[in-house]
Amino acid sequence: MSRLRAAFTMLTVAALLSACTPTEIRRAGDDITEEVRSAKFYLQPQLLPEGSPGDLIRSERILGTPDGAEAWRIMFHSTDVFGKPVVNTGLVVAPTSSTPEGGRTVVSWGHPTTGSAIKCSPSSGLDPFDLVEGLNDFLDRGYAVTYTDYTGMGTAGPNSYLVGETAGRNMLDAARAARSLLKEEASSRVVLWGHSQGGQGALFAGQIATSYAPDLDVRAVAVAAPATNLAKLLDADIGDVSGVSIGAYAFNAYAEVYGDSVSGAELDTILTPAAIAALPSMVKLCLLGQNDELHAIGKPLVGGFLTADPATTEPWATLLADNTAGAVPLNVPLFVAQGETDTLVDPQATTSFVAHERSQGVDVTYEEITNTGHGLVALRALKPLMKWLEALGADEVAGPGSLQ
């Protein structure tokens, strides 16, 4: 039976590959090779070298890249919301074309929710390039692209799901790590780009950039369907299984991150016994690839997940507010895209956030994408985003928003 199964698998793969382009066949083979050899990379050294935020711990050139690009898996130093040292993993991708004058602008991308477990990290997936919205567009324009898996994903570390400042620090340190790896090929110019959970991270990165990473010249922040008002987001979504899944990730993370320092940040102050019992199984599952299993556990909890309203129950109300972007105005231009038919991030919530940012004097460009839900909004926002970056001069040696 095992030989028959192996033969069937080979025939299936051959049939699939026969419909692929030569580039797709090359990348598929490279991806399989990478899947086998990458596991050791994510194990932290027994004696962790000292380093400042953004310093590389190790890097490894990887296969399966888009045409005209080269890429590296990276492990680097970062810090969490409390300023404690943490280790991050991620990816750096750069064009093989000649380097423009002044070096390449670095795009630090914040990924949308993939889960919160170590195994859910995008850089360790079968195709670590596939999820990066706009990767080819950025590479074609001469940008280098980097991303962090976020603390606690990819390699060991504290949970960071929807912990805004941790994600923001991770995104800035990924840009530093990319500069360290690419050397003179990369400039200090940085564009922050994030979708959903990654939108929250990009906004926090923009808020803290001047104080946390003054060595970086952050030119712009761009987000698609960002997770902004977390209390309203949870309230709007908790009535369905997607909201329960996100709530499981979020409350588990907040209890782990803040439980030792914030009185009352224990799960039994906000979740039902059934939800608490289900949490260990739910948080082990990734949103991509294990969605059916995640929803099978979460669906019976719809309507029976919370014991109180977290927006009005302490310490959860304060924790959600502390991790909601917008308390500090950005000092660089902001691009926001929102799908009009998004059922996960309420378009009205994004509209309210844009109004709030404008009231603080932030230069905001707002794009409403028609007939578009949550999953496709970042992809469909790419055309106006690229035009906006070009008009902004984000890739110029000296341009709008320059801190140099």
Side-chain angles (χ1 to χ4, degrees), residues 69-96:
E70 54 188 345
W72 299 261
R73 193 174 284 114
I74 55 172
M75 178 180 286
F76 58 97
H77 292 278
S78 189
T79 58
D80 68 5
V81 63
F82 302 115
K84 294 179 180 178
V86 292
V87 175
N88 265 219
T89 53
L91 202 73
V92 174
V93 194
T96 54

PDB file of all heavy atoms in Angstrom, residues 69-96:
ATOM      1  N   ALA A  69      15.290  37.927  -8.189  1.00  0.00           N
ATOM      2  CA  ALA A  69      15.423  38.283  -6.773  1.00  0.00           C
ATOM      3  C   ALA A  69      16.284  37.258  -6.056  1.00  0.00           C
ATOM      4  O   ALA A  69      16.443  36.117  -6.504  1.00  0.00           O
ATOM      5  CB  ALA A  69      14.057  38.373  -6.105  1.00  0.00           C
ATOM      6  N   GLU A  70      16.841  37.669  -4.931  1.00  0.00           N
ATOM      7  CA  GLU A  70      17.545  36.765  -4.030  1.00  0.00           C
ATOM      8  C   GLU A  70      16.984  36.973  -2.638  1.00  0.00           C
ATOM      9  O   GLU A  70      16.434  38.044  -2.328  1.00  0.00           O
ATOM     10  CB  GLU A  70      19.056  37.040  -4.065  1.00  0.00           C
ATOM     11  CG  GLU A  70      19.442  38.480  -3.791  1.00  0.00           C
ATOM     12  CD  GLU A  70      20.923  38.740  -4.015  1.00  0.00           C
ATOM     13  OE1 GLU A  70      21.686  37.765  -4.111  1.00  0.00           O
ATOM     14  OE2 GLU A  70      21.305  39.923  -4.091  1.00  0.00           O
ATOM     15  N   ALA A  71      17.103  35.963  -1.783  1.00  0.00           N
ATOM     16  CA  ALA A  71      16.444  36.043  -0.481  1.00  0.00           C
ATOM     17  C   ALA A  71      17.224  35.299   0.587  1.00  0.00           C
ATOM     18  O   ALA A  71      18.003  34.381   0.308  1.00  0.00           O
ATOM     19  CB  ALA A  71      15.027  35.478  -0.575  1.00  0.00           C
ATOM     20  N   TRP A  72      16.992  35.720   1.818  1.00  0.00           N
ATOM     21  CA  TRP A  72      17.632  35.136   2.986  1.00  0.00           C
ATOM     22  C   TRP A  72      16.612  34.970   4.103  1.00  0.00           C
ATOM     23  O   TRP A  72      15.766  35.833   4.325  1.00  0.00           O
ATOM     24  CB  TRP A  72      18.755  36.039   3.509  1.00  0.00           C
ATOM     25  CG  TRP A  72      19.860  36.299   2.559  1.00  0.00           C
ATOM     26  CD1 TRP A  72      21.084  35.684   2.496  1.00  0.00           C
ATOM     27  CD2 TRP A  72      19.871  37.286   1.511  1.00  0.00           C
ATOM     28  NE1 TRP A  72      21.841  36.215   1.480  1.00  0.00           N
ATOM     29  CE2 TRP A  72      21.130  37.196   0.868  1.00  0.00           C
ATOM     30  CE3 TRP A  72      18.940  38.234   1.065  1.00  0.00           C
ATOM     31  CZ2 TRP A  72      21.465  38.016  -0.195  1.00  0.00           C
ATOM     32  CZ3 TRP A  72      19.266  39.050  -0.004  1.00  0.00           C
ATOM     33  CH2 TRP A  72      20.528  38.940  -0.618  1.00  0.00           C
ATOM     34  N   ARG A  73      16.704  33.877   4.787  1.00  0.00           N
ATOM     35  CA  ARG A  73      16.005  33.709   6.055  1.00  0.00           C
ATOM     36  C   ARG A  73      16.871  34.379   7.125  1.00  0.00           C
ATOM     37  O   ARG A  73      18.101  34.256   7.091  1.00  0.00           O
ATOM     38  CB  ARG A  73      15.838  32.218   6.329  1.00  0.00           C
ATOM     39  CG  ARG A  73      14.866  31.858   7.433  1.00  0.00           C
ATOM     40  CD  ARG A  73      14.697  30.346   7.496  1.00  0.00           C
ATOM     41  NE  ARG A  73      13.843  29.851   6.414  1.00  0.00           N
ATOM     42  CZ  ARG A  73      14.261  29.084   5.435  1.00  0.00           C
ATOM     43  NH1 ARG A  73      15.520  28.723   5.363  1.00  0.00           N
ATOM     44  NH2 ARG A  73      13.430  28.668   4.497  1.00  0.00           N
ATOM     45  N   ILE A  74      16.284  35.103   8.074  1.00  0.00           N
ATOM     46  CA  ILE A  74      17.074  35.817   9.073  1.00  0.00           C
ATOM     47  C   ILE A  74      16.593  35.515  10.489  1.00  0.00           C
ATOM     48  O   ILE A  74      15.415  35.236  10.716  1.00  0.00           O
ATOM     49  CB  ILE A  74      17.037  37.352   8.845  1.00  0.00           C
ATOM     50  CG1 ILE A  74      15.591  37.877   8.812  1.00  0.00           C
ATOM     51  CG2 ILE A  74      17.778  37.726   7.569  1.00  0.00           C
ATOM     52  CD1 ILE A  74      15.478  39.396   8.781  1.00  0.00           C
ATOM     53  N   MET A  75      17.534  35.569  11.421  1.00  0.00           N
ATOM     54  CA  MET A  75      17.237  35.541  12.853  1.00  0.00           C
ATOM     55  C   MET A  75      17.937  36.761  13.439  1.00  0.00           C
ATOM     56  O   MET A  75      19.106  37.014  13.150  1.00  0.00           O
ATOM     57  CB  MET A  75      17.752  34.257  13.503  1.00  0.00           C
ATOM     58  CG  MET A  75      17.519  34.185  15.016  1.00  0.00           C
ATOM     59  SD  MET A  75      18.139  32.628  15.758  1.00  0.00           S
ATOM     60  CE  MET A  75      16.869  31.467  15.184  1.00  0.00           C
ATOM     61  N   PHE A  76      17.211  37.541  14.247  1.00  0.00           N
ATOM     62  CA  PHE A  76      17.772  38.805  14.701  1.00  0.00           C
ATOM     63  C   PHE A  76      17.247  39.186  16.088  1.00  0.00           C
ATOM     64  O   PHE A  76      16.236  38.665  16.557  1.00  0.00           O
ATOM     65  CB  PHE A  76      17.458  39.926  13.695  1.00  0.00           C
ATOM     66  CG  PHE A  76      15.981  40.142  13.422  1.00  0.00           C
ATOM     67  CD1 PHE A  76      15.263  41.128  14.094  1.00  0.00           C
ATOM     68  CD2 PHE A  76      15.319  39.369  12.481  1.00  0.00           C
ATOM     69  CE1 PHE A  76      13.910  41.336  13.834  1.00  0.00           C
ATOM     70  CE2 PHE A  76      13.958  39.560  12.223  1.00  0.00           C
ATOM     71  CZ  PHE A  76      13.260  40.549  12.897  1.00  0.00           C
ATOM     72  N   HIS A  77      17.946  40.107  16.708  1.00  0.00           N
ATOM     73  CA  HIS A  77      17.556  40.617  18.018  1.00  0.00           C
ATOM     74  C   HIS A  77      16.416  41.634  17.884  1.00  0.00           C
ATOM     75  O   HIS A  77      16.386  42.423  16.941  1.00  0.00           O
ATOM     76  CB  HIS A  77      18.736  41.307  18.702  1.00  0.00           C
ATOM     77  CG  HIS A  77      19.842  40.395  19.116  1.00  0.00           C
ATOM     78  ND1 HIS A  77      19.810  39.672  20.286  1.00  0.00           N
ATOM     79  CD2 HIS A  77      21.020  40.089  18.515  1.00  0.00           C
ATOM     80  CE1 HIS A  77      20.935  38.973  20.404  1.00  0.00           C
ATOM     81  NE2 HIS A  77      21.681  39.196  19.334  1.00  0.00           N
ATOM     82  N   SER A  78      15.509  41.614  18.859  1.00  0.00           N
ATOM     83  CA  SER A  78      14.481  42.640  18.953  1.00  0.00           C
ATOM     84  C   SER A  78      14.135  42.817  20.433  1.00  0.00           C
ATOM     85  O   SER A  78      14.835  42.277  21.306  1.00  0.00           O
ATOM     86  CB  SER A  78      13.237  42.254  18.131  1.00  0.00           C
ATOM     87  OG  SER A  78      12.317  43.336  18.063  1.00  0.00           O
ATOM     88  N   THR A  79      13.098  43.590  20.728  1.00  0.00           N
ATOM     89  CA  THR A  79      12.618  43.749  22.106  1.00  0.00           C
ATOM     90  C   THR A  79      11.099  43.680  22.108  1.00  0.00           C
ATOM     91  O   THR A  79      10.450  43.894  21.079  1.00  0.00           O
ATOM     92  CB  THR A  79      13.069  45.094  22.719  1.00  0.00           C
ATOM     93  OG1 THR A  79      12.595  46.175  21.899  1.00  0.00           O
ATOM     94  CG2 THR A  79      14.580  45.180  22.831  1.00  0.00           C
ATOM     95  N   ASP A  80      10.533  43.391  23.283  1.00  0.00           N
ATOM     96  CA  ASP A  80       9.075  43.311  23.381  1.00  0.00           C
ATOM     97  C   ASP A  80       8.510  44.590  23.984  1.00  0.00           C
ATOM     98  O   ASP A  80       9.224  45.576  24.190  1.00  0.00           O
ATOM     99  CB  ASP A  80       8.654  42.067  24.174  1.00  0.00           C
ATOM    100  CG  ASP A  80       9.012  42.129  25.651  1.00  0.00           C
ATOM    101  OD1 ASP A  80       9.510  43.171  26.133  1.00  0.00           O
ATOM    102  OD2 ASP A  80       8.780  41.118  26.352  1.00  0.00           O
ATOM    103  N   VAL A  81       7.213  44.573  24.279  1.00  0.00           N
ATOM    104  CA  VAL A  81       6.514  45.756  24.786  1.00  0.00           C
ATOM    105  C   VAL A  81       7.117  46.278  26.081  1.00  0.00           C
ATOM    106  O   VAL A  81       7.050  47.477  26.373  1.00  0.00           O
ATOM    107  CB  VAL A  81       5.008  45.439  24.968  1.00  0.00           C
ATOM    108  CG1 VAL A  81       4.794  44.353  26.012  1.00  0.00           C
ATOM    109  CG2 VAL A  81       4.220  46.692  25.310  1.00  0.00           C
ATOM    110  N   PHE A  82       7.760  45.409  26.847  1.00  0.00           N
ATOM    111  CA  PHE A  82       8.378  45.817  28.108  1.00  0.00           C
ATOM    112  C   PHE A  82       9.846  46.209  27.939  1.00  0.00           C
ATOM    113  O   PHE A  82      10.521  46.525  28.920  1.00  0.00           O
ATOM    114  CB  PHE A  82       8.262  44.695  29.143  1.00  0.00           C
ATOM    115  CG  PHE A  82       6.849  44.281  29.432  1.00  0.00           C
ATOM    116  CD1 PHE A  82       6.400  43.007  29.098  1.00  0.00           C
ATOM    117  CD2 PHE A  82       5.952  45.172  30.016  1.00  0.00           C
ATOM    118  CE1 PHE A  82       5.092  42.623  29.354  1.00  0.00           C
ATOM    119  CE2 PHE A  82       4.634  44.795  30.270  1.00  0.00           C
ATOM    120  CZ  PHE A  82       4.205  43.518  29.936  1.00  0.00           C
ATOM    121  N   GLY A  83      10.347  46.141  26.711  1.00  0.00           N
ATOM    122  CA  GLY A  83      11.747  46.461  26.464  1.00  0.00           C
ATOM    123  C   GLY A  83      12.695  45.306  26.711  1.00  0.00           C
ATOM    124  O   GLY A  83      13.915  45.482  26.669  1.00  0.00           O
ATOM    125  N   LYS A  84      12.156  44.113  26.942  1.00  0.00           N
ATOM    126  CA  LYS A  84      13.001  42.952  27.204  1.00  0.00           C
ATOM    127  C   LYS A  84      13.521  42.372  25.881  1.00  0.00           C
ATOM    128  O   LYS A  84      12.794  42.333  24.883  1.00  0.00           O
ATOM    129  CB  LYS A  84      12.220  41.876  27.964  1.00  0.00           C
ATOM    130  CG  LYS A  84      11.807  42.303  29.365  1.00  0.00           C
ATOM    131  CD  LYS A  84      11.024  41.195  30.057  1.00  0.00           C
ATOM    132  CE  LYS A  84      10.609  41.607  31.468  1.00  0.00           C
ATOM    133  NZ  LYS A  84       9.796  40.546  32.126  1.00  0.00           N
ATOM    134  N   PRO A  85      14.774  41.891  25.867  1.00  0.00           N
ATOM    135  CA  PRO A  85      15.321  41.308  24.636  1.00  0.00           C
ATOM    136  C   PRO A  85      14.549  40.054  24.218  1.00  0.00           C
ATOM    137  O   PRO A  85      14.194  39.219  25.055  1.00  0.00           O
ATOM    138  CB  PRO A  85      16.762  40.957  25.023  1.00  0.00           C
ATOM    139  CG  PRO A  85      17.067  41.804  26.217  1.00  0.00           C
ATOM    140  CD  PRO A  85      15.772  41.943  26.955  1.00  0.00           C
ATOM    141  N   VAL A  86      14.281  39.956  22.922  1.00  0.00           N
ATOM    142  CA  VAL A  86      13.637  38.777  22.349  1.00  0.00           C
ATOM    143  C   VAL A  86      14.350  38.449  21.038  1.00  0.00           C
ATOM    144  O   VAL A  86      15.097  39.268  20.503  1.00  0.00           O
ATOM    145  CB  VAL A  86      12.129  39.000  22.083  1.00  0.00           C
ATOM    146  CG1 VAL A  86      11.360  39.148  23.389  1.00  0.00           C
ATOM    147  CG2 VAL A  86      11.908  40.223  21.197  1.00  0.00           C
ATOM    148  N   VAL A  87      14.104  37.257  20.548  1.00  0.00           N
ATOM    149  CA  VAL A  87      14.688  36.821  19.275  1.00  0.00           C
ATOM    150  C   VAL A  87      13.565  36.718  18.253  1.00  0.00           C
ATOM    151  O   VAL A  87      12.486  36.196  18.537  1.00  0.00           O
ATOM    152  CB  VAL A  87      15.401  35.464  19.434  1.00  0.00           C
ATOM    153  CG1 VAL A  87      15.903  34.964  18.082  1.00  0.00           C
ATOM    154  CG2 VAL A  87      16.558  35.595  20.415  1.00  0.00           C
ATOM    155  N   ASN A  88      13.822  37.231  17.067  1.00  0.00           N
ATOM    156  CA  ASN A  88      12.852  37.183  15.968  1.00  0.00           C
ATOM    157  C   ASN A  88      13.437  36.437  14.781  1.00  0.00           C
ATOM    158  O   ASN A  88      14.663  36.387  14.608  1.00  0.00           O
ATOM    159  CB  ASN A  88      12.495  38.593  15.515  1.00  0.00           C
ATOM    160  CG  ASN A  88      11.234  39.149  16.167  1.00  0.00           C
ATOM    161  OD1 ASN A  88      10.439  39.815  15.525  1.00  0.00           O
ATOM    162  ND2 ASN A  88      11.068  38.889  17.452  1.00  0.00           N
ATOM    163  N   THR A  89      12.551  35.917  13.950  1.00  0.00           N
ATOM    164  CA  THR A  89      12.942  35.371  12.657  1.00  0.00           C
ATOM    165  C   THR A  89      12.136  36.072  11.580  1.00  0.00           C
ATOM    166  O   THR A  89      11.144  36.745  11.850  1.00  0.00           O
ATOM    167  CB  THR A  89      12.697  33.853  12.578  1.00  0.00           C
ATOM    168  OG1 THR A  89      11.322  33.593  12.935  1.00  0.00           O
ATOM    169  CG2 THR A  89      13.623  33.100  13.511  1.00  0.00           C
ATOM    170  N   GLY A  90      12.567  35.910  10.342  1.00  0.00           N
ATOM    171  CA  GLY A  90      11.850  36.533   9.243  1.00  0.00           C
ATOM    172  C   GLY A  90      12.549  36.307   7.924  1.00  0.00           C
ATOM    173  O   GLY A  90      13.277  35.325   7.752  1.00  0.00           O
ATOM    174  N   LEU A  91      12.343  37.244   7.005  1.00  0.00           N
ATOM    175  CA  LEU A  91      12.819  37.076   5.634  1.00  0.00           C
ATOM    176  C   LEU A  91      13.297  38.416   5.087  1.00  0.00           C
ATOM    177  O   LEU A  91      12.784  39.465   5.468  1.00  0.00           O
ATOM    178  CB  LEU A  91      11.672  36.560   4.761  1.00  0.00           C
ATOM    179  CG  LEU A  91      12.037  35.841   3.464  1.00  0.00           C
ATOM    180  CD1 LEU A  91      12.592  34.453   3.768  1.00  0.00           C
ATOM    181  CD2 LEU A  91      10.813  35.721   2.559  1.00  0.00           C
ATOM    182  N   VAL A  92      14.286  38.365   4.204  1.00  0.00           N
ATOM    183  CA  VAL A  92      14.725  39.526   3.432  1.00  0.00           C
ATOM    184  C   VAL A  92      14.757  39.121   1.967  1.00  0.00           C
ATOM    185  O   VAL A  92      15.297  38.057   1.626  1.00  0.00           O
ATOM    186  CB  VAL A  92      16.128  40.014   3.870  1.00  0.00           C
ATOM    187  CG1 VAL A  92      16.612  41.134   2.940  1.00  0.00           C
ATOM    188  CG2 VAL A  92      16.120  40.496   5.307  1.00  0.00           C
ATOM    189  N   VAL A  93      14.176  39.937   1.107  1.00  0.00           N
ATOM    190  CA  VAL A  93      14.167  39.691  -0.330  1.00  0.00           C
ATOM    191  C   VAL A  93      14.643  40.963  -1.025  1.00  0.00           C
ATOM    192  O   VAL A  93      14.197  42.061  -0.684  1.00  0.00           O
ATOM    193  CB  VAL A  93      12.761  39.328  -0.857  1.00  0.00           C
ATOM    194  CG1 VAL A  93      12.851  38.747  -2.269  1.00  0.00           C
ATOM    195  CG2 VAL A  93      12.050  38.360   0.073  1.00  0.00           C
ATOM    196  N   ALA A  94      15.529  40.832  -1.994  1.00  0.00           N
ATOM    197  CA  ALA A  94      16.048  41.994  -2.706  1.00  0.00           C
ATOM    198  C   ALA A  94      16.188  41.676  -4.189  1.00  0.00           C
ATOM    199  O   ALA A  94      16.462  40.533  -4.568  1.00  0.00           O
ATOM    200  CB  ALA A  94      17.408  42.413  -2.137  1.00  0.00           C
ATOM    201  N   PRO A  95      16.012  42.685  -5.042  1.00  0.00           N
ATOM    202  CA  PRO A  95      16.212  42.458  -6.477  1.00  0.00           C
ATOM    203  C   PRO A  95      17.686  42.175  -6.779  1.00  0.00           C
ATOM    204  O   PRO A  95      18.582  42.617  -6.045  1.00  0.00           O
ATOM    205  CB  PRO A  95      15.792  43.790  -7.113  1.00  0.00           C
ATOM    206  CG  PRO A  95      15.068  44.546  -6.051  1.00  0.00           C
ATOM    207  CD  PRO A  95      15.618  44.071  -4.742  1.00  0.00           C
ATOM    208  N   THR A  96      17.934  41.456  -7.848  1.00  0.00           N
ATOM    209  CA  THR A  96      19.312  41.236  -8.291  1.00  0.00           C
ATOM    210  C   THR A  96      19.767  42.316  -9.270  1.00  0.00           C
ATOM    211  O   THR A  96      20.910  42.300  -9.715  1.00  0.00           O
ATOM    212  CB  THR A  96      19.453  39.855  -8.950  1.00  0.00           C
ATOM    213  OG1 THR A  96      18.478  39.745 -10.008  1.00  0.00           O
ATOM    214  CG2 THR A  96      19.239  38.739  -7.939  1.00  0.00           C
TER     215      THR A  96
END
